[in-house]
């Protein structure tokens, strides 16, 4: 795993990449075959993004 990201531009790039990843997962889900596992996976990804946003918010307020 990579180290801490302290540069605002790198933090925004990180968030952008993570959101792109979520969109790719959403686009790959077949709604006719999707189940609870896919929803749980999306929720976990969004939780991770929320955690990073909170960390970055703390960094930005310093």
């Amino acid at each position: 795993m990579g180290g801490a990201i302290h540069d605002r531009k790198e933090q925004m790039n990180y968030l952008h990449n993570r959101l792109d990843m979520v969109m790719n997962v959403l686009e790959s889900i077949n709604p006719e075959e999707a189940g609870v596992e896919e929803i749980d996976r999306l929720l976990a990804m969004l939780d991770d993004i929320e955690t990073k946003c909170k960390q970055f918010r703390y960094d930005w307020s310093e």
Side-chain angles (χ1 to χ4, degrees), residues 6-61:
H6 297 289
D7 178 77
R8 285 185 181 195
K9 184 176 180 179
E10 288 181 36
Q11 290 173 339
M12 292 305 294
N13 285 337
Y14 175 88
L15 293 174
H16 185 259
N17 290 336
R18 296 297 289 191
L19 289 169
D20 280 345
M21 194 180 317
V22 170
M23 291 305 299
N24 289 334
V25 170
L26 275 172
E27 290 171 358
S28 72
I29 294 174
N30 179 343
E32 300 298 324
E33 298 176 7
V36 174
E37 297 82 16
E38 285 78 15
I39 297 299
D40 287 344
R41 181 176 175 202
L42 288 168
L43 286 171
M45 293 172 79
L46 293 171
D47 286 344
D48 291 342
I49 292 170
E50 180 182 17
T51 299
K52 279 298 184 185
C53 285
K54 288 178 180 178
Q55 289 173 351
F56 295 162
R57 183 177 183 271
Y58 176 78
D59 290 347
W60 287 28
S61 67

